[in-house]
Amino acid sequence: MRCCFYLFFDSLSSLYVISAMFGLFQGGIVPSYAIIVREAMPASQAATRLGIVIFASVFGMSFGGWVSGVIFDATGSYAAAFTNGLAWNALNIAIVVGLLVRARGNSAKAETGVAATLRAN
């Protein structure tokens, strides 16, 4: 979504401003991974899981940029590269939704288990 800002401006100064905004946004997202992992994982696994998450994030960002360049070189158009990016983002959204559904299901089961334990006592 942030890349859409580039479509509306054509000067060098606007390129710098939008790039700075993009960097600030990204700088806010990556540190939040530590908070998410801390909330979702046991403390004994947090360091390993955080390393895996950050590695996957950095790898995905670098590989995605490289593959988009390869696609552009092969097709001569950004349309296929953007389509590739959209497809990977759709996969990411599907994974996130699946994890949310799974977490809510586990949370509902845990609440049911707690209620049964309280009734038994």
Side-chain angles (χ1 to χ4, degrees), residues 16-30:
Y16 289 145
V17 169
I18 294 167
S19 295
M21 287 174 36
F22 189 83
L24 290 172
F25 295 151
Q26 187 64 23
I29 291 170
V30 173

Side-chain angles (χ1 to χ4, degrees), residues 2 25-41 45-61 89 92 96:
R2 295 177 298 258
F25 295 151
Q26 187 64 23
I29 291 170
V30 173
S32 69
Y33 294 163
I35 296 167
I36 294 166
V37 169
R38 182 189 69 200
E39 293 296 322
M41 302 292 159
Q45 298 177 3
T48 302
R49 302 279 178 117
L50 181 60
I52 291 168
V53 166
I54 290 178
F55 173 78
S57 174
V58 171
F59 177 79
M61 285 184 273
N89 281 311
N92 287 332
V96 168

